[in-house]
Amino acid sequence: MTSLHIIMGESDLEMQNRMVQTLTELMENEDHQNILAVSHGGACTMFRKKWTGTLGNTRNCSVLVFDYDEGVFTERAL
């Protein structure tokens, strides 16, 4: 008999918190000009939800643009 071990990944909220923390740290770096972050649709959706309160129509290959000021990301309309 083969033993099956299920490894659970992080939750949506854990992923969201990790992305927000990482991108905030990058934006707080004095040497940044512009930052390009690339991820899958689920991660982008959770980041967008944190700052806009909505899931929007985020899919794989979506382009989202956010401005950053004093700890807050604001989505910019394209």
Side-chain angles (χ1 to χ4, degrees), residues 4-12 14-15:
L4 178 64
H5 296 278
I6 299 174
I7 300 173
M8 301 298 289
E10 63 188 347
S11 71
D12 287 347
E14 290 169 327
M15 175 178 44

Side-chain angles (χ1 to χ4, degrees), residues 45-73:
T45 296
M46 292 306 296
F47 183 80
R48 175 186 241 171
K49 183 178 179 185
K50 166 71 177 176
W51 300 107
T52 68
T54 180
L55 297 177
N57 191 21
T58 310
R59 300 173 188 262
N60 287 329
C61 301
S62 293
V63 176
L64 306 174
V65 179
F66 282 83
D67 294 313
Y68 178 83
D69 187 38
E70 297 184 20
V72 176
F73 288 90

Side-chain angles (χ1 to χ4, degrees), residues 4 22 28 37-38 52:
L4 178 64
T22 300
E28 292 291 330
V38 180
T52 68

